[in-house]
Amino acid sequence: MRTQILEKGRDVAIVDEAGRHETLTTGERALDLFTDRVSLIRHFAKLLNEDPASNKILFFEGDGGNGKSLLLRYLTRYYCKWLEPDNWNWVASKSDAEFVEELKLAEGESPVPVGFLDFSFPGRTDSLNALRKLRHDLGEHGIHFPLFDFACFWHSKETGQLTDEQLKSLFPSEELDLIVSITQLFAAIPAIATVKDTAAFAHKRITGRKLDEKIMRWLRSRKLDEDDVRAITTMDPERELIDKLPELFAKDLNAAIALQDWPKRVVLFFDGHEAFWGAERNRRSATYFQRDAWLRCLLRHLELGDGIVAVVAGREFPSWPDRKAKPFQIEEKFIDHQPVGDLCDADARSYLERALAGVNVTDEVFPFLCDYARVGQDRVHPLYLGMCAEIVVAAAKKKRQQISSDDVRFDPDVEDKAKELINRFLSYADDGITYAVPVLSACRSFDRKLYMAVGEALGIQPSRAAFDNLIEFSFVRKEVETKPSIEPRSDGATDASTAGEKESKEEARYRIHDLLRRVFVEQADDLMREANVALEQYHRERAAEGDRKAIAEAIYHVNRLDWERGAREWVEVFEEALSQSNYALCDALLDVKTELITETDFSRALVSQTEGGYLAELARYDAAKQVFSDAIAAYDQALRHAPENARILSNKGVAYQSLGDVQVSLAQHEPAQQSYTDAIAASKQALRHAPNDAQNLNNKGNALVKLGDLQVNLTQFDPAKQSFTQAIAAYDRALHYAPDYVYAYNNKGNALQSLGDLQASHAQHEPAQQSYTNSIAAFNHALHHAPDYVNAYNNKGNSLAKLGNLQAKLAQHEPAKQSFTQAIAAYDQALQRAPEDAYARNNKGIALKFLGDLQVTLAQYELAMQSYTDSITAYDQTLQRAPDDVYAHNNKGIAQWNLGHLHQNTFSDCEGAKQHLQHAVAAFTRSLEIAPGDDRVRNLLETVKTILDNLDC
C-alpha cells in the first residue's frame, strides 16, 4: 500500500490510499523522534520486571545535551510497565531491534505508579516542594501517604501556611470538613507536648463525644496512632520536621509496596541532579554535601529490594560514597552506574530521517548535518543534531523549496556550535519564535501565563498557537507530569482536545535547554535586557499579589541586569526574611543562589555569610561553621586586592564573630575565643582607615561583648570586665557620630547588662544595679527610635529579669517582683511582634523561673509551682522551634530540678519529685549530646543523678 507523508502543523500523519489517518504524534515532538538507547531501555525494563528486585539506585550519567532528560521522559511514557513473568520472558528473549517495540506493545501488563522530579525547574531542589510533587504523582495511582500527609499538614499549620488549597492537595474532598475540625482542635492546644495522649486532646478541646470519636477513627483509618501524632507535633517545623519528611515519605511508600497484591513496582525518576549546585557545581563549597542531603535521606530509607525502582540522572557520577556525605552516605556498590553517551552514526541518521520526514531535502543533507553535530568518531551530539533538524525544518518552511546543504551551510570549525546553531535557527524562524526564544531563555522556567504576560509587555504578539508551536521544539524541556493528558471519554475512546489536556497545557512549566540559555545570557544584548526588565516586573507583581517566593525570581532577573545590585538585594531580602522567620522565602532565595552571579570575592563572601546566619539559626552548626569559614577566606582573597578597604575588613570581623558564636554553641571555647579576638583585630584595622565609621565601632563593640561573655564563662573575670568596658566605649563613640543609631543603643544595653552580671557575681551589688538600670535606659532609647524593635524588647526583658534576680537576693522582694513582671511583659511585647522568636520564649521562661524562686522564698509554693510549670512550657515552645538550643535544654533542666525539689521537700511527694528529676536528667543529657564540652552542665547532670539515686520512694 502506497502512503504519502503530509505536514499538518507540527504533527505528522500517515495517510493510506483509503484516506485513513494514523496519528503518530504524542503532542511532544521530541518523544516521537526518540531514537537509540536500546541497551538502556532494556536495562531499565529488566530492573522493573525481574525478581528479585534490585537494591541499587540506577544512575544515568552524561554530558549536558546528551539526552538524559529525554530518555527519562521516554521511559516514563512507554516503558513503566510490569509484565506477568511469562510475557516478560517472551519479550526479554527478543533481539534489541524487536525488544523495544514488543515491550511498548506488550499486553497483560500492570500499570506501574511513577513519580517524576526534574530538579532543574525552580523550587524542585527544595525538599518540601519536591516531595509534595512526588506525593501528587503517586497519589494519582491510589498510593496513600498518611504519615507524610499529616506531617505536611502540621508543618503548614505551624508555619502559618495552611490554606484551603494546601488542604485540598493533601486530603480527599470527603475528609475536608473533618480536617478543618482537626485544625481547630490542634490550634486550641498551647503546648501539645505536655498533653498525655491524642484521645485527651479530643475530650478536652472539642464539645461532643461524637466528633471526638470521628477524629479518632479518622486518625486510626490513616494508621496514625498516638505515638506518630505526638512525634510529629512535637518537632520544630523548620529545624526538625522538615528534615524528617523524606524519611516519613519513604516509610509510607515502603508500606504501600509491601502490600501483597499491588503495586508490584513503583518507579521514582529524578532528573537534573546537578541542579542542586548550579553554577557552584565546580566549586565544592562548605554546603556541597548538604545540598542534596534530603534526597540521599529519601534514597537511604527506601526499601529498594521490595520493588521500588529509583532512577537518577546527572552530569557527573554522584559524590554519595564520600565520607563527607554522612549521615546519608550511599556506598558505590549500591549505585548502578549507566553512562548515557552520544548517538552513533546509524542512530543519528535514523533520527534525521524521522525528524525531516515530509521535508524536501537533498540526499547530502543527512551526512552533512551528522558531520556538523559530530563530537568524535561515531559520536554525534544529540542536542546539536536536534537543532540542525530544527533549522532545516524552519528553512524549508520559509523558502518553500528543496533544501540542500548549501542552504544551511555551517562553519565546521566554529568554536561555539550551540551559539551558531541557535542564531542560524532564529534567522529562519518566524518573527514570533525569533523573539520568544531569547526572551524565554532569560527565565529559569516559564508557563503559558508568563509567556503571554511578558510577550505583551515586549510587543512580540504572543498567542496560544505560537506557544503550542514553541513548546514542541526539541530544545524546550517540559516539567514532566505523570498524570495522562488524554482523558477517557464516556464512549471509551480518547480525545486529545479535552478540557483536562487544555488545563494541563495551561499549567505545565517549561525551560529552554541550559546550553542555549547560556548562549543568550552571554550575548547580553538589548533584547535580553528588555526581557529581564519585563520578567522582573512580572515577578514583582506576583509577589505583590501574595506569592512571597516570586520575589526570589525577581531578584534573579535583577542580578542578570546588574549583578551587583541583584546580589545586594538578595542579601537584604534574605536578612529581612530571616529576621521574620520566613524560612520559605529563605529557601526560595537559596534556590536562586545556585545561579546567582557574584563576580567579586567580596560579594561571594557576603552571600555565604548571609547563608551562614540562616544555618546557624536552624541550629545546623557544623554547616554554618564551614560557611562562615568560607566567607572569611573569600574576604581574605578580596583584601589581597584592596588591603585598606574598611568595608571588607568590617565584614570580615562580623564573619569571625558569627563563627565564634557557632563555636560557643558547640562548646568549642578556645577556637571561639580566637575567633572573637580575630573579629576585634579586623574591626581595629577597619577603624584605622575609617575612624569615624559608626558601623565599624558598633561591630567592634559587639565582638568585645561576645569575647567578654566567653571570658566570664571561662572565669577570666578581669579580662572580661576590660572587654565590657571597651565595648561600652566603642558604642559611645558610635553614638557620638550617629546619635540615632538604634543598634548601638541596643548593643550598649547588652554590654551594660553583661557588665552588671559580672559585678553581681562578685557581690558588687550597687554597681551591678546601676549597670542594669543603665542598660534598661539604653534599650528604652532604642525603642524610642524604633518602637517595633524586637531585639530591644527581648534584651530589655533580660536586664529587668537580672535586676529582679539581684533585688531578690538583696531581699528587695517587691521591687524584684515588679522587675520580673516587667520583664515578662517585655518578652510578650517581643512575641507579639515575632511569635516565632525562640530567644524571647526561652528568656521568658528564665524570668518565670526567677519569679518562681522568689515565690518559694516568700512561701508562696502553689504560685511557685505554676511559675516553674509556665517556664517549662516556654522552654518546650522554644525547643519546638529550635530543637538543638542548648540553653533551652539547660534552662528546662534547672526548672525541672526546682520542681522536683518542691515536690520532695515542700509537698513530700517523692514520686512527683522523681518524675521531675528524671526530666531534668533528660534535658541535661540532651544538652551534652549537642555540646559535649560543657563541664558546667555535666556537673549539673551528675548532681541531679546523685539526688535521684538517694531518693527512697
Side-chain angles (χ1 to χ4, degrees), residues 76-89:
T76 301
R77 176 65 65 92
Y78 294 114
Y79 297 108
C80 286
K81 55 177 67 175
W82 182 88
L83 305 182
E84 293 293 339
D86 289 343
N87 286 351
W88 165 249
N89 291 333

Side-chain angles (χ1 to χ4, degrees), residues 154 157-158 185-186 188-198 200-201 204-205 226-236 240 869 872-881 889 892 896 915-916 919:
W154 188 256
K157 172 193 170 298
E158 289 293 279
L185 165 71
F186 285 115
I189 302 171
I192 194 166
T194 65
V195 184
K196 294 294 183 183
D197 56 44
T198 308
F201 300 165
K204 253 188 166 182
R205 300 294 178 181
E226 173 186 329
D227 292 335
D228 290 332
V229 172
R230 182 182 293 111
I232 290 171
T233 55
T234 54
M235 293 180 192
D236 172 75
E240 192 173 18
T869 301
I872 292 168
T873 298
Y875 299 137
D876 283 336
Q877 289 172 338
T878 301
L879 291 168
Q880 285 179 9
R881 290 159 177 80
H889 284 293
K892 179 181 176 181
Q896 291 283 10
Q915 182 180 12
H916 287 292
H919 288 320

Side-chain angles (χ1 to χ4, degrees), residues 155-175:
H155 179 274
S156 297
K157 172 193 170 298
E158 289 293 279
T159 56
Q161 303 176 58
L162 194 61
T163 63
D164 290 342
E165 288 72 21
Q166 288 274 14
L167 287 173
K168 290 175 183 177
S169 70
L170 292 174
F171 302 101
S173 57
E174 62 270 15
E175 295 184 358

